[in-house]
Structure formats: C-alpha cells, structure tokens
Amino acid sequence: MAVTLEQARRVGYTCLKALLRFAFMVANNLVAIPSYVLYLIVLQPLRVLDSESFWYIEGVLFKWLLAMVASWGWWAGYTVVEWGDDVKAVSEDEAMVLVNHQATGDVCTLMMCLQDKGTVVRQMMWLMDHIFKYTNFGIVSLIHGDFFIRQGRAHRDQQLVLLKEHLEKYYRSRNRKWIVLFPEGGFLRKRRETSQAFAKKNNLPFLKHVTLPRLGATQVILKTLVAPQENGTPAGGDAVIKESKAKGLQWVIDTTIAYPKGEPLDIQTWILGYRQPTVTHVHYRIFPVKDVPAEPEALTHWLYQRFIEKEDLLTHFYETG
C-alpha cells in the first residue's frame, strides 16, 4: 500500500517530536536527579540536628521531581479526570491507597493526580516492584524511603518481614502520610491468566479487567500502621495519650484507573508522546480503616470485593465510555 505525502509528513513529525521529547527528558533527568541527590548530601548536617526539617525539605524536592514527570504527560496531552470521593479532604490523615495495575503509566498517572492534594506527594511512600530500583528514578526512591518488593512465591515471606521492618523504621520517623500499593502484584496482562485459573479452581468471580489481589502487603501495612484501638483493641491510659499524638492509619482509598478502550499508557508513551492526546479516568472510594476487617479470611474477602467492584466499574466504562 502506497504511503501518501501527508502520511509520510505525519510519521516524520511524530518521530521528530518523540526524539525531541526524549532529549528533553534526558536533560531533565541529568539536571534534576543529581541536583536532588547533591542538595540532600549538603543538607546531611541538618538531618542530624533537625531531622523533621530535613525530611520536610526532601519532601518538597521529591514533589518537584514527581511534578516534572507528570509534566511530560501534560505536555503530550495526556490528561486526567477524577471521580468519586474527595480524597483531598483526607490529605492530612494517614491513608493506604489501593490501585489496580495495568502498565508503568499508572504510576505517572498517580503522580499527576496527587500534585494538588496538599502535602500528600511529599509525605507519601510507594511500594513498587524491585526492578524500579535500577531505573533512573531508583536513587530518588531509595533516598525518599520507598519500598521495593520482590515478586514471586519464593521471596514472599521474606519480603513481608522486610516490609514490616521498613515501615517500623521509616514510615513515622519520616512523617509519612499515605502509602501507595498495587495489590494485584503485577501488570494485568501478566497476571490475568493465572488469576483466572485460580478463580476457576476456587469458585471465585471471573475477572477480565483486573486480577484477584494478594493479601500479604495489605495485611502487613494494616497490622503495622493501624493504631491498636482502631483494630478493635481497647485503648486506655497511656494509649489515649499516644493516640492523640499519632492516630495511625485512618483511611483506605480504593483507586481505580481506567484508560479509554482499555489501552493503558506505558512509560515509553508517557516519555515519547507518540500516542494521540487521551483522557485517563481515575475513580476514588474512601473507607474508614475501622470498617476494614483485620482477620485474614475476612480481609481477603473484603479485598476481593473491592476488585470485583473495580471490574464492574471498568466494564461499565469500557461499554459506555
């Protein structure tokens, strides 16, 4: 099939734009990431003298870096529409954010969404696959105190122990507020077949747009970060005084990301901008943590229900727009 002059021009323009965007992204990284690291090296004496101020400054720099990444998508015309509960209303409280996972662009989408949510971005902790440790942004996440989790049955128990230790060491000492995780444990395209086989074997709903979530990390976070009195343990005396200083995890924010026609954005698209401008939809639903069961079987059922609801939301969206 012959290529018209107009088509050739369009392809040439797209390639040139992608090349320029890539060059701009590289320049961004070469300046911004070393600057972040060097500033924090210079500020190490402040970390010893006034840890709270140090992590405040680090959080501001971290938010700027995430805004930089978000701007690459905005520049390409990749925008977001948010629906559901107003999460900004709980931005000063501690919350766990549960997100469905379709592609690497999910993280970029969240970076864009959360920029206007008060102090959330600078005080949040991410749980992400250990492979991200070896990306250009890995050094930033390591310094910020994010947790890199290694997937696979062989590593599962050890990783949960390490996660608990990480939360106890870094979450409150660095004044973190929100913790973001992807309970499916991987991308939809990689886990869907295994999840559907597990569902069939255990007489669970057949899901196409999400996969059945895993319990481990969610349970560790709840056990470690929820104040005892919110888990049903009576509080009194010293516990009341302690609770007034730190209420613990108060909310679970169920977040659903929906891409038009079910075609997710990956990080390459976000950087190069070769896809036409698109609107990603993000839906929030807030649950008080006191309404989330602590017992493993009940918590598993509760988590499954959230992802069944995501399936219904996404099915409706893909069918009706």
Side-chain angles (χ1 to χ4, degrees):
M1 186 171 114
V3 177
T4 66
L5 182 60
E6 181 60 30
Q7 288 173 326
R9 285 176 177 168
R10 191 178 298 117
V11 170
Y13 172 73
T14 300
C15 292
L16 177 62
K17 183 176 72 172
L19 183 63
L20 291 173
R21 284 178 59 88
F22 181 74
F24 176 73
M25 182 274 295
V26 170
N28 257 195
N29 279 271
L30 289 176
V31 173
I33 293 177
S35 298
Y36 169 89
V37 175
L38 289 172
Y39 270 119
L40 296 182
I41 290 174
V42 171
L43 289 171
Q44 284 304 302
L46 179 63
R47 182 177 180 179
V48 176
L49 297 171
D50 187 351
S51 177
E52 186 175 344
S53 295
F54 174 84
W55 289 113
Y56 174 87
I57 295 170
E58 184 278 333
V60 172
L61 297 175
F62 185 78
K63 181 175 181 178
W64 289 350
L65 285 178
L66 266 60
M68 178 187 77
V69 176
S71 72
W72 301 341
W74 175 81
W75 181 25
Y78 304 148
T79 55
V80 176
V81 172
E82 297 171 276
W83 303 83
D85 294 336
D86 178 16
V87 296
K88 195 170 184 178
V90 300
S91 62
E92 296 301 317
D93 299 332
E94 290 188 25
M96 176 173 63
V97 185
L98 306 176
V99 193
N100 61 314
H101 209 11
Q102 300 168 76
T104 47
D106 297 342
V107 175
C108 302
T109 298
L110 289 175
M111 288 179 179
M112 181 180 284
C113 288
L114 299 178
Q115 280 295 320
D116 68 341
K117 306 298 188 294
T119 62
V120 164
V121 173
R122 64 178 178 84
Q123 291 182 287
M124 73 195 316
M125 179 181 286
W126 297 77
L127 264 66
M128 59 188 79
D129 193 282
H130 80 288
I131 197 67
F132 285 101
K133 186 188 297 184
Y134 308 105
T135 66
N136 59 315
F137 215 77
I139 183 65
V140 174
S141 290
L142 277 171
I143 294 172
H144 184 70
D146 296 328
F147 184 77
F148 299 94
I149 192 163
R150 187 181 292 272
Q151 304 294 342
R153 186 174 299 176
H155 307 286
R156 191 170 301 160
D157 292 341
Q158 181 194 29
Q159 291 298 298
L160 295 179
V161 171
L162 292 174
L163 172 60
K164 184 177 187 299
E165 293 174 352
H166 185 88
L167 293 172
E168 290 173 341
K169 186 175 182 180
Y170 297 118
Y171 192 82
R172 298 261 155 69
S173 67
R174 298 186 181 184
N175 195 27
R176 298 294 174 246
K177 293 290 188 182
W178 285 20
I179 182 165
V180 181
L181 70 153
F182 302 91
E184 291 165 294
F187 297 139
L188 174 63
R189 67 179 186 278
K190 293 183 177 181
R191 289 211 61 243
R192 179 160 39 201
E193 187 176 338
T194 303
S195 175
Q196 290 174 344
F198 178 83
K200 183 177 181 181
K201 182 179 178 180
N202 292 276
N203 197 30
L204 294 167
F206 184 86
L207 307 176
K208 295 191 300 181
H209 307 305
V210 295
T211 65
L212 290 169
R214 293 173 175 175
L215 177 67
T218 305
Q219 187 177 31
V220 168
I221 291 168
L222 290 172
K223 282 186 175 181
T224 308
L225 300 182
V226 173
Q229 59 271 24
E230 292 185 38
N231 248 349
T233 304
D238 294 340
V240 174
I241 298 172
K242 186 177 180 181
E243 195 272 341
S244 67
K245 295 180 181 177
K247 294 182 179 178
L249 204 68
Q250 293 172 269
W251 310 99
V252 175
I253 303 174
D254 184 33
T255 304
T256 305
I257 299 177
Y259 298 97
K261 301 179 182 178
E263 299 173 356
L265 294 170
D266 54 28
I267 190 65
Q268 298 95 322
T269 307
W270 197 269
I271 291 169
L272 300 177
Y274 50 78
R275 183 166 160 181
Q276 289 297 310
T278 187
V279 178
T280 301
H281 295 257
V282 179
H283 181 273
Y284 306 107
R285 189 176 177 197
I286 301 174
F287 296 87
V289 78
K290 62 182 177 62
D291 294 341
V292 179
E295 194 274 327
E297 186 174 344
L299 178 58
T300 300
H301 177 74
W302 186 89
L303 266 179
Y304 282 177
Q305 286 302 120
R306 303 290 74 75
F307 277 76
I308 291 168
E309 289 171 3
K310 289 179 185 292
E311 176 77 12
D312 293 341
L313 275 171
L314 291 168
T315 298
H316 177 78
F317 175 72
Y318 296 145
E319 289 177 353
T320 67

